[in-house]
Amino acid sequence: MHVPAGMRQAYLISIPRDLLVAIPAAPGYGGGQDKINAAYEHGGGGEAGAQLLSATLTRLTGIRFDGAALVDFTGFKQVIDLLGGIRMCVDTEVRSIHTKTLFTPGCQQMDGARTLDYVRQRYDLPGGDYDRQRHQQQMLRAVLDKAGEAHLRNDPVKLDRVLRAVGGALTVDTNGVPLEDLLLALRSLPADALQGVRVPSHPQTIGEVSYVVLDNDAGGLFDALRDTRMPAWAGANPRWVNRL
């Protein structure tokens, strides 16, 4: 997530899970080329896995990360259920490979379990994993919208209850910045200011393994992030940007 100075916009950038990257060496791992979702496991999971993933992303993007948040599926389910469910709009009919649930087009109220089942799907969708990324971004926007309706962003007590309910499912590292300061700084972010960004890339089979590879160094996306030119890049690359 990138928030430019002024805190009136925010860009949620999804890295494809199958993106082919160079993963640095770590204890017990010699380093090498692999899918980016393997970096967390090569690092041993947990804090060490997150550190190797961060180092991999820094090598890929040239950006040093100020903090991170890890939340598992159980955590998202609890948050959504605590909020009373969220409204998701299904754009393409798809049947879950996990539960066999059929999701039909149209906007509908979903509880935590149904939401997570939907946003985990990538097979039988026109855009495959790119559609899954977009649906997960939509889920985050829906959670923010519902939290705003419940006045959570302006009610630290209610927000604290939600965070405590998530419990061990959520791990946040703000690199020394008090979490409450970060929340207070972001609470004035307009509800329509969040944009989803997909990394310019394409699927490619290499050695009978399906990967995702960057398009021409990500089409200048990482340069724009480093040089704080995201608004201009987003305006020039509407194909890769979704207003959530």
Side-chain angles (χ1 to χ4, degrees):
M1 184 175 182
H2 173 63
V3 183
M7 297 186 178
R8 306 302 296 172
Q9 292 175 300
Y11 299 91
L12 189 63
I13 302 167
S14 290
I15 305 292
R17 55 168 286 172
D18 292 339
L19 185 67
L20 182 61
V21 296
I23 301 176
Y29 174 65
Q33 297 279 322
D34 206 337
K35 296 181 179 183
I36 196 166
N37 69 333
Y40 184 77
E41 297 302 325
H42 285 318
E47 181 179 348
Q51 288 176 346
L52 183 57
L53 176 58
S54 178
T56 302
L57 286 168
T58 294
R59 174 177 286 189
L60 174 70
T61 65
I63 298 167
R64 180 184 64 83
F65 292 88
D66 299 311
L70 303 176
V71 58
D72 63 19
F73 284 128
T74 300
F76 264 126
K77 177 181 180 297
Q78 289 176 330
V79 168
I80 293 169
D81 287 341
L82 280 167
L83 292 173
I86 58 175
R87 184 172 176 80
M88 292 287 292
C89 294
V90 177
D91 45 20
T92 302
E93 182 175 289
V94 61
R95 185 175 295 279
S96 168
I97 65 169
H98 304 106
T99 65
K100 307 306 178 183
T101 298
L102 179 65
F103 295 94
T104 56
C107 296
Q108 50 203 269
Q109 189 76 5
M110 295 188 186
D111 62 13
R114 186 175 178 84
T115 300
L116 289 174
D117 190 19
Y118 173 62
V119 302
R120 293 176 68 190
Q121 304 310 312
R122 63 170 171 160
Y123 298 105
D124 295 327
L125 290 173
D129 195 50
Y130 292 110
D131 282 345
R132 177 170 61 176
Q133 292 175 42
R134 180 166 51 83
H135 295 160
Q136 291 177 349
Q137 291 174 343
Q138 290 172 340
M139 176 190 71
L140 291 173
R141 171 59 194 272
V143 168
L144 290 175
D145 284 347
K146 191 60 179 288
E149 292 173 9
H151 308 293
L152 284 178
R153 288 187 298 176
N154 296 313
D155 189 334
V157 175
K158 288 185 178 180
L159 180 59
D160 182 67
R161 289 174 183 165
V162 172
L163 291 177
R164 287 181 183 277
V166 174
L170 177 66
T171 302
V172 179
D173 179 1
T174 59
N175 199 24
V177 177
L179 183 58
E180 57 269 25
D181 288 356
L182 181 62
L183 294 172
L184 288 172
L186 294 178
R187 70 175 182 176
S188 61
L189 191 69
D192 62 351
L194 182 62
Q195 296 188 57
V197 178
R198 293 180 296 141
V199 174
S201 54
H202 62 276
Q204 183 174 327
T205 300
I206 303 174
E208 299 185 354
V209 178
S210 177
Y211 294 96
V212 171
V213 298
L214 294 179
D215 287 346
N216 190 26
D217 290 332
L221 170 60
F222 302 144
D223 291 335
L225 277 170
R226 289 193 299 269
D227 299 336
T228 63
R229 293 183 290 102
M230 272 305 298
W233 187 91
N237 294 273
R239 174 188 175 189
W240 301 102
V241 179
N242 303 308
R243 184 169 293 279
L244 303 177

